[in-house]
Amino acid sequence: MLNRRDFLANAGTSFGGLALAMMLQEQARCGGGELEVLHHPPKAKRVVQLFMAGAASHIDLWDHKPALEKHHGEPSDFGEHVEAFQNGLGPWMKSPFPFASYGESGKMLSEPVAPLGSCVDDIAFVHNMVGKTGVHSQATYLQATGFQRPGFPGMGSWVSYALGTLNENLPTFVVLPDHRGFASNGPKNWGSAFLPASAQGTAIFPQRKNPIEDLHPDAEFVTERGDQAGLEMLNRMNRRFQTERAHDSRLDARIRSYELAAAMQLSAPEALDISGEPKHILKMYGLDQIGREYPQKINPAEEVEYFGRKCLIARRLLERGVRFIQIWSGNDNGFPRRNWDSHEDIARDHGPLARGMSVGTAALIQDLKQRGLLDDTIILWTTEFGRMPSTQGSVGRDHNPYVFTNWLCGGGIRGGISYGPSDEWGYKPLDRANPTQVYDIHATILHLLGIDHTKLTVRHDGIDRRLTDVHGHVLHDLIV
């Protein structure tokens, strides 16, 4: 039989190839255990993607710009025509937050993200990221899927498809959305598109009374024996239907999802139950006052609790074999702001959101490190674009797709470095001819997972599609 490495090196040559991929996934799933590496020995097994929805401001978090402090309030002069998203070409504006240096690397961080100072020497900052658009939905698609339009699999789906599961009782790809709702595009950011439907992300809301919808029957008349008999009958009907449509992945994915749901009825509640965590761990994640009442306006304490809970749940899922976890901060557009889209007031929105994100993220990094899991777990911090160094209104910032920041940590990443500086204003990359794009980030993560990004392909509509499209370079400067 064709082995998995040989197959995936040439995957996507036909629809039958997709069916074979499903068969191999099923065989590996039934056999259990970790799947073999695809193209070269990996440095990492798992990924956590932290996605700041609404566009987090690089120059107000970790891309310190003394020039903005020096010229604060002066008319902005970019030296070229600037196409603003709205009306964000007011005077230069320094950050409302003070900066200080942290770690042996001396990295400058703003006050709201100071909790990450204890981890800064584990992090590689990429300050010359560029996007293609200043529109939230398209830019979010680009960072989540590698394409700026719908119809393409999320990065987690590609990883799930390529590497399979590390645990038969939990999903391979888990999504922890913002407790207030979905970001732009909603579940399409983690959909499987033309990959097998089983590769899509499973959304879990750990702050809700019922974190996973429909995991248990909500009716008193349902008995264990009756439930089992119903499932057996449904399975017979499904398998009969499936033999007539062997090349349709949807039913197979649905069957497997129900099989997984049955396993999750036992495993998921235990994984999501943090009541047994030691008090010092809960405190580290900012969860020492769970259930307190919060004001209506956005506030740091609420952000710390809700983001910290997702980070702790992420750690518990990672150590139980979940392969890819996506954690979201911020929901779709609305007012008052509950996302990073700070057109009106950077301090009002970014302050609480950044504090909540940084407390939870620092705890996750430290916790994974002390458990020996950071060495083979990649953490990626993402947002769809940055914000302008000039003002919108009096204290807000407009969209800036021309430069922004991502950072990576763990899993073979060289910590304590800042790669690819932006210019003195934080407007564009200092070296405009050599920016970093999302394709490079994705290629680097796949490389660390043991995958050659140019070889992981699936033919769709006559094109050998891949996560990195026709682009992407591995950022070897970031790798140990």
Side-chain angles (χ1 to χ4, degrees):
M1 186 183 72
L2 184 67
N3 69 46
R4 186 176 177 83
R5 178 187 286 112
D6 292 338
F7 164 67
L8 283 174
N10 301 282
T13 56
S14 66
F15 189 79
L18 189 58
L20 179 58
M22 290 174 56
M23 181 187 75
L24 290 171
Q25 280 188 335
E26 180 69 8
Q27 291 171 342
R29 186 181 69 86
C30 293
E34 186 177 347
L35 303 180
E36 67 174 306
V37 177
L38 299 183
H39 304 117
H40 55 261
K43 292 180 180 288
K45 298 178 181 178
R46 298 167 292 268
V47 180
V48 180
Q49 183 181 28
L50 310 172
F51 205 119
M52 308 300 115
S57 175
H58 53 299
I59 51 181
D60 293 300
L61 299 179
W62 24 59
D63 195 0
H64 182 229
K65 296 300 171 188
L68 293 179
E69 297 174 354
K70 181 179 179 181
H71 297 283
H72 176 73
E74 296 178 11
S76 57
D77 180 8
F78 293 88
E80 61 183 280
H81 172 72
V82 181
E83 183 178 345
F85 182 74
Q86 293 182 353
N87 58 346
L89 300 180
W92 297 125
M93 187 177 85
K94 68 179 181 179
S95 177
F97 310 121
F99 278 73
S101 65
Y102 293 87
E104 293 183 8
S105 60
K107 179 63 180 176
M108 297 292 286
L109 301 178
S110 72
E111 187 275 331
V113 295
L116 279 165
S118 59
C119 311
V120 76
D121 289 332
D122 295 310
I123 296 174
F125 293 89
V126 181
H127 289 308
N128 65 342
M129 293 289 299
V130 298
K132 294 184 174 182
T133 174
V135 178
H136 287 293
S137 58
Q138 296 173 3
T140 300
Y141 272 135
L142 184 63
Q143 298 300 313
T145 72
F147 292 81
Q148 61 177 343
R149 62 185 190 274
F152 293 89
M155 176 170 57
S157 294
W158 279 107
V159 172
S160 176
Y161 168 72
L163 298 181
T165 185
L166 290 168
N167 186 330
E168 303 300 328
N169 300 322
L170 289 169
T172 306
F173 176 18
V174 168
V175 180
L176 305 175
D178 191 279
H179 62 285
R180 289 158 290 222
F182 294 135
S184 293
N185 313 320
K188 294 178 182 178
N189 292 313
W190 52 85
S192 60
F194 48 79
L195 296 181
S198 57
Q200 66 188 318
T202 298
I204 296 177
F205 292 84
Q207 74 288 344
R208 293 180 179 176
K209 182 179 179 181
N210 186 20
I212 307 173
E213 292 293 337
D214 303 320
L215 187 60
H216 296 280
D218 187 19
E220 293 181 358
F221 60 83
V222 177
T223 66
E224 183 177 348
R225 181 178 178 183
D227 196 34
Q228 182 63 35
L231 289 173
E232 290 174 357
M233 182 180 70
L234 184 62
N235 185 55
R236 291 194 300 271
M237 295 172 64
N238 282 337
R239 293 302 179 189
R240 186 185 312 151
F241 184 90
Q242 187 182 34
T243 59
E244 300 171 2
R245 297 163 178 82
H247 295 297
D248 189 338
S249 73
R250 292 173 297 177
L251 179 59
D252 183 69
R254 184 65 59 85
I255 292 170
R256 289 165 59 185
S257 72
Y258 278 105
E259 292 173 347
L260 176 60
M264 287 174 61
Q265 287 180 333
L266 297 176
S267 60
E270 185 274 334
L272 301 178
D273 182 8
I274 64 172
S275 62
E277 292 284 343
K279 289 183 179 180
H280 72 277
I281 293 292
L282 293 174
K283 184 175 182 179
M284 182 169 70
Y285 282 92
L287 300 175
D288 49 340
Q289 299 185 53
I290 294 176
R292 61 179 292 189
E293 295 292 326
Y294 297 109
Q296 286 293 105
K297 66 180 182 179
I298 192 168
N299 62 92
E302 181 179 13
E303 300 306 317
V304 166
E305 177 180 332
Y306 283 117
F307 199 83
R309 179 185 289 269
K310 286 184 287 190
C311 287
L312 178 53
I313 291 297
R315 189 221 80 202
R316 293 176 61 85
L317 292 172
L318 289 170
E319 60 188 356
R320 286 161 176 78
V322 173
R323 175 81 72 178
F324 195 105
I325 299 176
Q326 197 174 62
I327 303 176
W328 291 81
S329 170
N331 63 341
D332 205 355
N333 284 331
F335 194 85
R337 296 288 182 191
R338 290 296 183 268
N339 59 24
W340 297 79
D341 196 20
S342 298
H343 288 279
E344 304 86 15
D345 192 333
I346 284 286
R348 180 197 66 194
D349 305 331
H350 271 52
L353 286 167
R355 177 63 65 174
M357 177 276 296
S358 60
V359 168
T361 302
L364 177 61
I365 294 172
Q366 293 167 359
D367 208 1
L368 291 176
K369 195 172 185 177
Q370 70 186 8
R371 294 166 189 268
L373 291 171
L374 188 62
D375 289 342
D376 56 8
T377 302
I378 303 166
I379 298 177
L380 167 66
W381 187 94
T382 312
T383 192
E384 63 259 46
F385 43 73
R387 308 206 77 85
M388 294 294 286
S390 50
T391 62
Q392 178 175 5
S394 58
V395 289
R397 297 194 194 275
D398 204 350
H399 300 178
N400 180 9
Y402 309 114
V403 81
F404 57 104
T405 295
N406 276 193
W407 60 254
L408 300 98
C409 174
I413 293 295
R414 187 186 308 278
I417 63 173
S418 292
Y419 173 86
S422 62
D423 63 22
E424 64 175 333
W425 308 110
Y427 164 58
K428 283 189 175 181
L430 182 61
D431 181 357
R432 297 190 180 189
N434 295 288
T436 300
Q437 300 185 71
V438 66
Y439 315 111
D440 306 321
I441 298 293
H442 288 169
T444 302
I445 289 176
L446 291 181
H447 176 82
L448 290 169
L449 291 170
I451 301 169
D452 182 336
H453 72 103
T454 67
K455 294 181 180 179
L456 178 60
T457 65
V458 167
R459 178 153 292 192
H460 176 66
D461 284 346
I463 300 174
D464 288 337
R465 291 295 190 185
R466 68 187 208 217
L467 174 61
T468 53
D469 196 10
V470 296
H471 312 284
H473 303 280
V474 175
L475 302 173
H476 290 285
D477 287 346
L478 304 188
I479 298 174
V480 176

